[in-house]
């Protein structure tokens, strides 16, 4: 009996040793960077607009930490033709397709291999890529391609360890049609060349989600010593005017939280189908043309993407569950930059609009919903589905609470050290809690008790110690609203000095039960329907759709046909669908081909 037991025990021991413990920290990547990690990428690709494919070689320098015989990469929709190491073919296999993660590309390597080259081709429907025909651009004469890799789409155009915890430097050679120019999240050319061959260098190590490529009929214009703008020639003057303050923002940011680590800060102005407002691709922020208001009133978005050069690109969230460490810090930093660019009142307008967004998000998700926690749980989910305003605005308000409790001077010192000490590293939520306690809060037990950090991070909803924001500017708008509600003539409202933010507050606070006649009066007085400001148009359509204000129908349809920014499209289609599903479907069917996969993935679920 004893013998049998000990035999059983030994057997148990053997099998438990045989099953490898899963050491992966990132549930959204198949890669095993704790065994073998990629440290540098040399990319050599051709961009083919005919077949809508990117093809070529991803040549990695690798570091083998455990003497493993396998390099594991992420791939989604890629055709892998061949893998070599030191000139010799390597065995490789692709796992079964996971609907969210794609496939693991498992490459057999020698223990002492230093380099592995993957010959591959992307699929025409690669999710990161949007191939635009000339009609979808400003110039109407040349096609355009852009990538959007965050969160887990880099693997649809480059085989890579697609996890924010894996950083690599890169060089690239990109062949494009001769009349187009290519730019990347790297050191960039400023002029076209006649061969259509462009080379790039990113010396600093970055995670795969910051890999980015744009190809189009582009021109460059300097904005300052370290800043500039790439855009189609038709848009470049307008963009240069709008973003003229970028260099000043950069100086302010450096002054607050330490030297800018990426040498240059340029921007690429995209066609309107870009699914986001902005994307913080290092050295080259991608930006939507919907912030070209003509009066520089929507440039907080530039401050936001610039701020990511510290929060996100320097100190990077370890997994997408820690997304708030990227976005919450960035919103906080963004508003601090805007406070110095403008004034406190201006930053408070942004904070108040943000608070409205936060309240709406919590309201619609439900106060107890787990996606209202800062620390997310995205296991077996597409990270994109859990990335709401919570990370941005609840994150912001937590940091603002800490600032108000410990004092700005102390908090700034803390943040500066946080960015310096953790530069080019990853941070997760638990580590952050340990860090802020040891560096700041343990020495201030009273402040610590007031803040209730753990409740903010691991609890749902909005904690009752959320900072109040008062905006004197919005008080004036509230007066104007009262004036309107009482039926006084709108001509008497002095709105000529209102910025986009004041208009947004005004539109958001107009009674939800406004009548057709109300809307007509408002439109006559303020000409919302013909506004060139996308934020204002969007807020206006939110009022006109439920009421069925026909005079705005054409402008709405035109907006939906051209703009691909998900933040606008999602609520607009939701209310359009609620009002008139057939109409929503008809417009969506026509417009869908103009949207990036990031947007269609969200909208298909609403409209189709
Ligand atoms: N990094 C984000 C965009 C993003 C988030 C892409 C998650 C993919 C997954 C970017 O910095 C951002 O936050 N953009 C905002 C700008 C705004 C908050 C000023 C946007 O696009 O609306
Ligand atoms: Zn951001």
């Amino acid at each position: 009996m004893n013998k049998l037991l000990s035999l059983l025990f030994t057997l148990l021991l053997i099998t438990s040793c045989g099953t490898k413990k899963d050491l992966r920290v990132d549930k959204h990547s198949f890669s095993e960077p704790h065994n073998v990690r990629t440290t540098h990428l040399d990319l050599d690709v051709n961009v083919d607009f005919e077949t809508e494919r990117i093809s070529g070689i991803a040549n990695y320098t690798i570091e083998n930490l455990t003497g493993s015989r396998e390099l594991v990469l992420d791939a989604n929709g890629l055709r892998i033709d061949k893998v070599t190491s030191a000139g010799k073919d390597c065995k490789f296999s692709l796992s079964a397709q996971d609907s969210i993660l794609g496939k693991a590309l498992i490459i057999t390597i020698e223990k002492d291999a230093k380099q592995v080259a993957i010959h591959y081709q992307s699929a025409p429907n690669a999710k990161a890529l949007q191939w635009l025909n000339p009609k979808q651009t400003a110039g109407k004469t040349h096609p355009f391609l852009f990538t959007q890799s965050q969160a887990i789409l880099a693997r649809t155009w480059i085989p890579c360890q697609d996890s924010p915890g894996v950083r690599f430097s890169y060089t690239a050679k990109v062949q494009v049609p001769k009349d187009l120019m290519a730019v990347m999240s790297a050191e960039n050319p400023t002029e076209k060349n006649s061969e259509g061959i462009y080379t790039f260098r990113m010396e600093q190590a970055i995670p795969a989600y910051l890999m980015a490529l744009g190809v189009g009929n582009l021109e460059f214009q300097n904005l300052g010593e370290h800043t500039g703008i790439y855009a189609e020639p038709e848009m470049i003057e307008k963009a240069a005017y709008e973003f003229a303050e970028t260099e000043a923002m950069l100086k302010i940011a450096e002054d607050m939280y330490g030297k800018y680590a990426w040498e240059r800060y340029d921007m690429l102005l995209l066609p309107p189908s870009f699914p986001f407002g902005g994307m913080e691709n290092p050295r080259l922020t991608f930006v939507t043309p919907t912030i070209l208001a003509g009066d520089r009133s929507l440039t907080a978005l530039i401050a936001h993407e610039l701020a990511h050069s510290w929060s996100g690109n320097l100190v990077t969230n370890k997994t997408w569950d820690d997304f708030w460490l990227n976005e919450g810090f960035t919103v906080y930093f963004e508003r601090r930059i805007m406070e110095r660019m403008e004034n406190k009142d201006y930053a408070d307008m942004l904070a108040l609009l943000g608070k409205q967004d936060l309240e709406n998000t919590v309201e619609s998700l439900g106060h107890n919903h787990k996606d209202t926690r800062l620390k997310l749980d995205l296991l077996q989910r597409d990270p994109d589905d859990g990335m709401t305003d919570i990370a941005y605005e609840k994150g912001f308000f937590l940091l603002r609470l800490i600032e108000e409790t410990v004092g700005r001077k102390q908090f700034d010192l803390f943040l500066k050290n946080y960015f310096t000490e953790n530069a080019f590293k990853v941070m997760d939520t638990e580590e952050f809690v340990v860090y802020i306690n040891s560096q700041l809060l343990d020495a201030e037990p009273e402040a610590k008790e007031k803040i209730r950090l753990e409740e903010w991070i691991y609890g749902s909803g909005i904690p009752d110690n959320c900072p109040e924001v008062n905006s004197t500017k919005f008080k004036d708008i509230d007066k104007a609203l009262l004036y309107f509600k009482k039926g006084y003539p709108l001509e008497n409202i002095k709105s000529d000095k209102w910025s986009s933010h004041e208009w947004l507050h005004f539109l958001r606070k107009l009674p939800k039960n406004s009548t057709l006649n109300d809307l007509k009066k408002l439109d006559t007085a303020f000409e919302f329907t013909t506004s060139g400001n996308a934020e204002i148009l969007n807020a206006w359509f939110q009022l006109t759709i439920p009421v069925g204000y026909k005079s705005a129908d054409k402008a709405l349809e035109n907006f939906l046909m051209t703009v691909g920014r998900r933040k606008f499209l999602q609520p607009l289609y939701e209310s359009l669908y609620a009002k008139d599903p057939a109409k929503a479907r008809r417009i969506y069917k026509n417009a869908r081909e103009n949207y990036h996969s990031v947007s269609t993935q969200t909208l298909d679920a609403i409209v189709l």
Side-chain angles (χ1 to χ4, degrees):
M1 187 65 194
N2 255 351
K3 253 194 183 161
L4 203 72
L5 259 179
S6 79
L7 192 76
L8 255 172
F9 185 67
T10 329
L11 225 96
L12 216 92
L13 208 73
I14 291 170
T15 45
S16 70
C17 289
T19 45
K20 262 197 271 171
K21 187 164 178 255
D22 193 353
L23 290 170
R24 284 181 300 145
V25 289
D26 181 0
K27 42 196 153 197
H28 293 109
S29 172
F30 289 112
S31 68
E32 298 180 358
H34 51 278
N35 290 328
V36 184
R37 61 169 58 223
T38 55
T39 58
H40 179 82
L41 164 65
D42 183 34
L43 188 69
D44 182 353
V45 288
N46 178 50
V47 175
D48 186 354
F49 280 87
E50 299 291 307
T51 59
E52 302 194 339
R53 285 179 200 274
I54 290 178
S55 62
I57 308 168
N59 194 341
Y60 281 104
T61 308
I62 59 172
E63 188 181 353
N64 196 334
L65 303 168
T66 56
S68 169
R69 295 292 309 272
E70 276 178 2
L71 165 67
V72 187
L73 304 178
D74 295 291
N76 195 352
L78 302 180
R79 191 185 85 192
I80 309 295
D81 297 319
K82 179 164 91 163
V83 181
T84 64
S85 179
K88 277 195 242 145
D89 280 8
C90 297
K91 274 198 195 145
F92 67 90
S93 66
L94 284 159
S95 70
Q97 174 83 15
D98 177 282
S99 64
I100 295 165
L101 305 181
K103 294 179 179 178
L105 168 59
I106 303 159
I107 301 165
T108 307
I109 53 166
E110 300 291 337
K111 278 184 188 158
D112 57 357
K114 295 278 175 287
Q115 159 276 328
V116 172
I118 300 112
H119 299 238
Y120 76 100
Q121 189 174 74
S122 66
N125 57 359
K127 283 189 182 173
L129 309 179
Q130 191 175 7
W131 303 86
L132 298 171
N133 63 45
K135 273 203 215 124
Q136 295 165 310
T137 67
K140 314 285 177 209
T141 50
H142 297 75
F144 201 107
L145 162 72
F146 67 85
T147 64
Q148 168 58 43
S149 298
Q150 196 183 12
I152 55 167
L153 303 180
R155 64 191 71 173
T156 69
W157 68 286
I158 307 174
C160 58
Q161 295 190 316
D162 197 1
S163 172
V166 181
R167 306 180 86 95
F168 51 89
S169 52
Y170 76 89
T171 44
K173 178 168 152 249
V174 181
Q175 168 78 255
V176 301
K178 289 188 176 55
D179 51 347
L180 302 183
M181 180 165 158
V183 285
M184 291 190 82
S185 51
E187 193 178 333
N188 274 305
T190 55
E191 270 172 17
K192 279 189 190 169
N193 65 54
S194 55
E195 293 85 47
I197 297 175
Y198 296 89
T199 56
F200 304 91
R201 236 164 103 89
M202 170 47 88
E203 276 182 39
Q204 293 90 335
I206 60 166
Y209 80 88
L210 296 176
M211 289 299 300
L213 171 68
V215 181
N217 182 27
L218 296 176
E219 232 178 60
F220 174 76
Q221 191 169 313
N222 253 315
L223 296 172
E225 200 188 336
H226 308 93
T227 51
I229 172 81
Y230 291 85
E232 290 182 71
E234 294 76 8
M235 302 299 287
I236 195 114
E237 286 308 326
K238 195 163 187 224
Y241 174 80
E242 205 81 26
F243 303 148
E245 295 157 325
T246 310
E247 187 82 25
M249 288 182 181
L250 179 63
K251 288 213 176 78
I252 289 173
E254 283 195 309
D255 188 46
M256 283 178 61
Y257 297 135
K259 193 168 166 24
Y260 181 68
W262 312 88
E263 288 112 60
R264 287 198 60 86
Y265 181 82
D266 296 318
M267 291 160 285
L268 170 64
L269 186 85
L270 290 149
S273 69
F274 187 56
F276 292 104
M279 177 63 213
E280 66 273 26
N281 299 315
R283 293 185 74 123
L284 188 67
T285 280
F286 282 21
V287 58
T288 172
T290 62
I291 62 165
L292 301 178
D295 60 1
R296 301 178 179 166
S297 61
L298 298 175
T299 53
L301 186 133
I302 301 300
H304 178 95
E305 304 312 333
L306 172 66
H308 271 305
S309 307
W310 286 260
S311 43
N313 298 3
L314 263 195
V315 185
T316 307
N317 53 205
K318 189 185 239 165
T319 74
W320 299 116
D321 286 351
D322 309 301
F323 183 56
W324 77 278
L325 292 177
N326 273 19
E327 297 299 344
F329 280 65
T330 298
V331 173
Y332 176 81
F333 196 175
E334 164 206 329
R335 290 182 185 154
R336 292 290 305 277
I337 294 171
M338 294 317 290
E339 182 180 322
R340 278 187 50 184
M341 287 297 293
E342 304 283 335
N343 49 53
K344 171 126 172 61
D345 230 25
Y346 190 95
D348 282 344
M349 285 198 293
L350 298 175
L352 253 182
L353 290 170
K355 197 163 194 189
Q356 291 169 10
D357 291 335
L358 175 61
E359 283 163 355
N360 290 338
T361 304
V362 170
E363 197 61 45
S364 75
L365 284 170
H367 295 252
N368 296 318
H369 197 288
K370 68 177 179 148
D371 286 350
T372 66
R373 300 175 195 163
L374 284 177
K375 173 82 185 188
L376 295 170
D377 177 11
L378 298 169
L379 182 64
Q380 280 163 11
R381 295 169 69 193
D382 188 329
D384 212 46
D385 296 341
M387 292 171 159
T388 66
D389 279 339
I390 298 296
Y392 293 80
E393 298 298 346
K394 191 176 172 182
F396 164 79
F397 278 101
L398 168 58
L399 298 184
R400 178 142 169 168
L401 171 67
I402 302 173
E403 180 211 299
E404 287 178 3
T405 314
V406 304
R408 179 172 279 191
K409 216 170 144 204
Q410 269 227 67
F411 191 49
D412 275 350
L413 196 63
F414 164 79
L415 281 178
K416 195 169 183 174
N417 289 335
Y418 172 75
F419 291 129
T420 317
E421 285 172 22
N422 298 295
F424 298 103
K425 294 192 187 137
V426 284
M427 179 62 65
D428 69 13
T429 304
E430 294 69 29
E431 228 177 301
F432 172 71
V433 171
V434 171
Y435 185 83
I436 194 171
N437 280 337
S438 68
Q439 302 297 310
L440 186 67
L441 299 179
D442 284 346
E444 312 238 0
E446 245 172 69
K448 191 174 180 178
E449 203 172 309
K450 268 197 195 145
I451 293 163
R452 312 205 301 264
L453 194 61
E454 311 260 334
E455 180 187 336
W456 273 85
I457 292 175
Y458 300 109
S460 56
I462 308 172
D464 59 16
N465 59 352
C466 186
E468 296 287 331
V469 186
N470 287 304
S471 159
T472 34
K473 288 218 164 104
F474 282 177
K475 293 235 165 73
D476 292 341
I477 310 299
D478 292 336
K479 276 185 212 145
L481 281 160
L482 207 65
Y483 206 84
F484 166 73
K485 283 177 201 159
K486 290 197 170 144
Y488 296 150
L490 295 172
E491 296 79 53
N492 294 355
I493 295 179
K494 283 212 172 28
S495 60
D496 44 315
K497 293 223 169 63
W498 289 4
S499 74
S500 297
H501 316 295
E502 280 134 319
W503 282 114
L504 275 185
H505 184 71
F506 183 76
L507 287 162
R508 285 181 182 191
K509 293 287 173 181
L510 278 169
K512 293 280 165 293
N513 58 355
S514 296
T515 62
L516 267 178
N517 200 34
D518 288 336
L519 295 189
K520 210 155 138 196
K521 272 201 291 191
L522 286 163
D523 209 7
T524 310
F526 303 125
E527 300 178 332
F528 291 127
T529 299
T530 52
S531 168
N533 182 317
E535 289 280 357
I536 291 177
L537 272 178
N538 177 54
W540 172 240
F541 294 144
Q542 288 301 343
L543 291 162
T544 65
I545 294 169
V547 177
Y549 176 69
K550 294 245 167 349
S551 313
D553 274 8
K554 251 186 117 177
L556 170 65
E557 195 160 335
N558 184 39
F559 187 88
L560 294 173
M561 283 300 291
T562 48
V563 175
R565 191 172 167 189
R566 183 173 60 177
K567 178 184 108 166
F568 295 146
L569 296 181
Q570 182 173 357
L572 286 177
Y573 275 110
E574 272 165 0
S575 56
L576 197 58
Y577 191 83
K579 177 80 180 173
D580 185 347
K583 185 171 172 184
R585 243 178 269 130
R586 175 182 62 77
I587 296 178
Y588 185 58
K589 285 213 168 109
N590 287 329
R592 195 177 180 278
E593 64 172 15
N594 295 335
Y595 303 152
H596 186 274
S597 80
V598 157
S599 292
T600 56
Q601 182 158 321
T602 304
L603 300 174
D604 284 356
I606 297 167
V607 188
L608 295 183

